[in-house]
Amino acid sequence: MNLSIRNWLLIVVSGFLLWQSVFTVDQTEQVIITQFGKPVGEPITDPGLHFKIPFTQQINSFDKRYLAWDGPMVEMSTKDKTYVQVDTFARWRITQPMQYYLRLRDERSAQSRLEDILGSETRTAIARHELIEVVRSDKDRKPLQDESLGPLTGEGTIGVLRPIRVGRAAIEKDVFDAAAPKLAEFGIELLDVRFKRINYNHQVLERIHQRMISERLQIAQRFRSEGEGEAARINGNRDRDLNEIESTAYKRVQEIQGEADAKATEIYAKAYGQKSESAEFYKFLKSMETYRKVIDGDATIVLSTNSDLFGLLKRVEQKNR
């Protein structure tokens, strides 16, 4: 019975020692074995089952995959003394785990060192270039133009992009080229660096808004000027056409009226010239028309007793009696 218990104890202890001696390395990991804090042997990068001395040796695993570094939004100055807020991110991986472990120990220290180096190089690169170089990347880019603005946006400086010599992509490459050798000393391979976002600070935003308002006002003023000129031209053409039409119409009216008067005179002459009584009757009608125009309800007339009108009025009065 005692022998059986002893065997079981040997089996349990052996199993425990074997469990402490064996470890697995995932395909996404790389491992460094340390003994009393010091690395032992070469880094293990192959996935599978591996062995170590139990209790005295420890495993330190690091990720083999691409890792992300997302820097904070930092305010910095450009070459033309314009302050911008730059948000940077990068991708990196551990290529020399032994050197990485000796210099940094863990990923938190690596992230801190990345922030120091990439942040410093970003500030240096931004400070060497003007704002237009930082925010632009395409040297041949042409601004989109609203068709309703017509050719106005192509005049002067409105709607015209300043040419650039470097561009944002080249500045990002400068940061990468400067930071990669420094990070290689820590066993880190820098894969890529990008400016995720570039914001203007409040003072710069105010100047940009004012410039945008000024450009819009210039375009609006040009529209108003052209509209006023076109309106003046249309009104001038209208007045000229109206005067021409009125002049032509008046001339035609006078011609028609003259022809009508001549025709009427000819008819009257033929009608009243046939007999002496007709002439007298015509004379009488014309006299009545003249009296009707001259005499109204408020008129006061002094007539001679020998006048025809006096005699006519006297006969009318006698007839009414």
Side-chain angles (χ1 to χ4, degrees):
M1 189 69 178
N2 294 333
L3 182 60
S4 177
I5 294 175
R6 185 180 303 164
N7 292 336
W8 277 107
L9 288 175
L10 289 174
I11 292 173
V12 170
V13 172
S14 300
F16 179 74
L17 292 175
L18 181 62
W19 178 71
Q20 287 290 325
S21 302
V22 176
F23 66 94
T24 58
V25 177
D26 191 85
Q27 61 183 356
T28 62
E29 295 179 328
Q30 48 191 342
V31 171
I32 290 180
I33 298 177
T34 58
Q35 183 171 334
F36 304 113
K38 294 182 179 182
V40 176
E42 296 295 326
I44 301 174
T45 59
D46 297 327
L49 191 64
H50 298 271
F51 297 92
K52 67 180 181 64
I53 300 175
F55 305 113
T56 60
Q57 291 184 345
Q58 303 293 328
I59 61 173
N60 301 270
S61 61
F62 308 104
D63 207 321
K64 289 172 61 176
R65 295 171 294 183
Y66 293 169
L67 302 175
W69 173 80
D70 194 351
M73 182 79 75
V74 179
E75 184 170 300
M76 55 193 70
S77 175
T78 62
K79 183 178 180 180
D80 49 354
K81 305 305 179 184
T82 301
Y83 284 90
V84 293
Q85 297 173 338
V86 182
D87 191 358
T88 311
F89 75 94
R91 294 294 180 264
W92 60 284
R93 65 179 178 178
I94 303 170
T95 55
Q96 299 179 25
M98 182 64 70
Q99 191 171 352
Y100 176 85
Y101 175 77
L102 294 174
R103 298 292 298 273
L104 299 174
R105 294 285 179 173
D106 55 22
E107 186 175 340
R108 184 179 65 177
S109 300
Q111 292 283 355
S112 177
R113 190 54 57 94
L114 282 164
E115 182 174 340
D116 292 340
I117 294 176
L118 292 178
S120 175
E121 297 300 334
T122 299
R123 283 189 290 270
T124 302
I126 294 295
R128 288 201 303 260
H129 298 88
E130 296 183 356
L131 176 64
I132 191 66
E133 303 283 350
V134 176
V135 300
R136 292 260 311 274
S137 58
D138 188 357
K139 298 180 181 180
D140 300 324
R141 179 180 179 273
K142 295 182 180 180
L144 296 177
Q145 178 175 331
D146 189 347
E147 295 180 357
S148 63
L149 298 180
L152 290 177
T153 54
E155 300 177 2
T157 59
I158 300 177
V160 178
L161 291 178
R162 287 176 51 191
I164 61 174
R165 297 180 296 103
V166 180
R168 185 171 62 186
I171 298 176
E172 292 171 339
K173 187 176 183 305
D174 290 343
V175 176
F176 177 87
D177 293 340
K182 297 180 180 179
L183 292 172
E185 298 176 0
F186 299 94
I188 294 175
E189 179 186 3
L190 184 63
L191 301 173
D192 195 13
V193 178
R194 287 288 183 269
F195 298 152
K196 181 167 63 175
R197 189 171 184 179
I198 299 176
N199 286 342
Y200 304 110
N201 67 0
H202 299 296
Q203 291 81 4
V204 177
L205 279 176
E206 184 65 25
R207 294 202 302 269
I208 291 174
H209 291 162
Q210 291 299 327
R211 180 177 178 182
M212 293 171 63
I213 292 172
S214 176
E215 289 188 355
R216 294 299 101 182
L217 289 176
Q218 291 182 44
I219 294 174
Q221 183 59 39
R222 292 185 181 183
F223 272 116
R224 282 194 292 268
S225 299
E226 288 198 354
E228 291 172 357
E230 186 68 14
R233 186 184 66 82
I234 294 173
N235 290 334
N237 293 337
R238 182 200 60 187
D239 294 341
R240 183 195 63 194
D241 294 342
L242 285 176
N243 291 334
E244 184 178 352
I245 292 171
E246 289 177 355
S247 176
T248 304
Y250 179 76
K251 178 182 178 182
R252 183 58 182 162
V253 166
Q254 294 300 317
E255 290 176 353
I256 294 173
Q257 192 172 17
E259 293 175 356
D261 291 342
K263 190 68 176 177
T265 301
E266 182 181 355
I267 293 172
Y268 286 144
K270 290 182 179 180
Y272 297 117
Q274 296 178 0
K275 296 181 181 181
S276 58
E277 293 83 355
S278 299
E280 289 294 330
F281 181 67
Y282 176 75
K283 181 179 180 182
F284 173 74
L285 288 177
K286 289 297 182 182
S287 298
M288 291 299 101
E289 290 178 2
T290 303
Y291 295 152
R292 185 182 297 112
K293 294 179 180 180
V294 173
I295 303 173
D296 56 16
D298 298 330
T300 301
I301 303 176
V302 179
L303 300 173
S304 171
T305 55
N306 296 327
S307 64
D308 295 336
L309 180 58
F310 181 80
L312 177 60
L313 293 175
K314 188 174 182 180
R315 286 197 299 271
V316 172
E317 182 182 2
Q318 290 174 355
K319 184 177 178 180
N320 291 335
R321 291 179 180 178

